[in-house]
Amino acid sequence: DVVMTQTPPSLSVAIGQSVSISCKSSQSLVASDKNTYLNWLLQSPGRSPKRLIYQVSKLDSGVPDRFSGSGSEKDFTLKISRVEAEDLGVYYCLQGTHLPYTFGAGTKLELK
Amino acid sequence: EVQLVESGGGLVQPGRSLKLSCVASGFTFSNYGMNWIRQAPGKGLEWVAYISSGSSYIYYAETVKGRFTISRDNAKNTLYLQMTSLRSEDTALYYCARPIRGHWGQGVMVTVSS
């Protein structure tokens, strides 16, 4: 199985601050169709996970452009510029290139 | 709008069985693979099982292999998870999902306890 190593496990931030979350995979996530199936999800308290970014850097509809994703092969980053209160929760990376799908352990974003 | 609605959860004793259902709408269910993903209280997300659109390909996490069975009824737009020999460590919120597409249900809670 592909292991997704996500860091840091938690972040304490002030509103308006920028943060980055890293996710590294144990295998290349480039699929046979040349796409890279790396998603970033946000789980707000008491809610189902919500996809923010798919295929490394594509923003879902309605996701503010304060969010950005980058990376390739085995090394990926989620950046949040100018954190707002609504951004708080747990962020997960998810690889969908190889079955079984695997998740990072999560990064809890909290207010300082 | 895609909707995934799970049901069938509850409190069950260790060693007993439970069957979860997920009714899908808003997309052509029969065209897509489906997954069960779970989240133990206070923990992260764990993929449990996958079934392809026509049920030809089925995969399980090692933690549930031999105890859980995923199935689907495309005529009823319904996904199932039959869980047997339940253990306390199976206690979790179970989501029906197409996670790569960003589609998740609201989850159904399964509690295994005597």
Side-chain angles (χ1 to χ4, degrees), chain B residues 47-62:
Chain B
W47 173 84
V48 172
Y50 166 88
I51 185 168
S52 62
S53 57
S55 305
S56 298
Y57 300 98
I58 289 176
Y59 302 91
Y60 297 100
E62 287 297 324

Side-chain angles (χ1 to χ4, degrees), chain A residues 37-58:
Chain A
Y37 295 99
L38 187 284
N39 289 3
W40 288 98
L41 316 176
L42 167 61
Q43 189 172 33
S44 301
R47 305 294 298 272
S48 300
K50 173 189 172 184
R51 192 181 72 174
L52 301 175
I53 288 174
Y54 62 101
Q55 291 182 31
V56 181
S57 60
K58 299 177 181 179

